Amino acid sequence: MLAWVEASETPWEAIGFVRPKSWLRTVAIGLVFGALFKLVMKAVVMPLLGAPAVNAPYHYIAGNAAALPYILYAVIIGAGFGEETLYRGFLFERLGKLLGTTGRAKLAIVLLTTALFGAAHYPDQGIPGVEQAVFSGLVFGGIYALRGQLFMLMVAHAAFDVMAVALIYWNLESRIAHLFFSAS
């Protein structure tokens, strides 16, 4: 994607690489928003959808300090930077060229990119991963459609996933998932 941007002479701003007015504010908002969004998803949204309290495909992380460097790299660089660049920046730019930039076109782009984002989470996380990705894709896509800037979303996505890793590592998933809704 990044090579395509350079080779096609597409302005970096067209894929959301817009310098924030304040890096500190952008990072702070992203960190707080991403972490709180994950907690709301885990404590409210996912239980309402009937998702398991524990993310079984990633439960190997629980108490496994040796797994942390790789998984943290994957969620910060792969998900935070990579997924946001692909699903929000690159695909929004490409689909915008195809569908336009009207409100309806942006809504269609949010829905299309969310569907692709959700589907990408199926192979390793199953239906619960798709459900969570759809909600986060709608939120992150909606924010991107309104603001056209990636950096806060990159930080928020990374913080969302780092919070997920922390909950798994410290075996807090079930406690958070049952914070408002008891186990049935």
Side-chain angles (χ1 to χ4, degrees):
M1 293 173 302
L2 301 181
W4 171 85
V5 170
E6 195 63 32
S8 67
E9 298 182 7
T10 299
W12 288 95
E13 295 82 12
I15 66 161
F17 283 78
V18 177
R19 182 183 298 270
K21 291 179 184 172
S22 166
W23 282 102
L24 181 61
R25 184 172 185 259
T26 297
V27 170
I29 289 170
L31 288 172
V32 171
F33 174 69
L36 290 177
F37 184 33
K38 175 58 187 176
L39 291 172
V40 169
M41 288 295 296
K42 190 69 175 176
V44 180
V45 177
M46 297 310 290
L48 288 173
L49 294 173
V54 172
N55 185 341
Y58 289 96
H59 197 66
Y60 73 90
I61 298 167
N64 183 356
L68 289 179
Y70 169 77
I71 197 70
L72 289 173
Y73 175 82
V75 302
I76 293 168
I77 304 302
F81 179 81
E83 289 183 350
E84 290 308 310
T85 300
L86 172 62
Y87 291 102
R88 264 50 84 180
F90 178 76
L91 288 177
F92 264 73
E93 191 278 337
R94 294 286 70 209
L95 291 168
K97 293 285 188 203
L98 179 67
L99 302 175
T101 57
T102 65
R104 278 193 167 147
K106 285 184 179 182
L107 176 59
I109 294 167
V110 169
L111 296 175
L112 284 167
T113 58
T114 295
L116 293 170
F117 185 63
H121 287 77
Y122 181 77
D124 68 327
Q125 297 180 48
I127 295 299
V130 171
E131 292 169 337
Q132 180 168 263
V134 165
F135 274 89
S136 58
L138 288 170
V139 170
F140 291 160
I143 292 169
Y144 186 76
L146 293 172
R147 308 222 356 109
Q149 300 176 2
L150 277 182
F151 293 120
M152 187 281 290
L153 293 173
M154 290 175 172
V155 174
H157 192 147
F160 182 98
D161 287 352
V162 168
M163 177 60 78
V165 168
L167 294 176
I168 296 168
Y169 182 79
W170 286 305
N171 274 312
L172 295 172
E173 282 188 293
S174 190
R175 185 179 300 169
I176 300 299
H178 297 124
L179 198 59
F180 300 111
F181 305 101
S182 63
S184 327

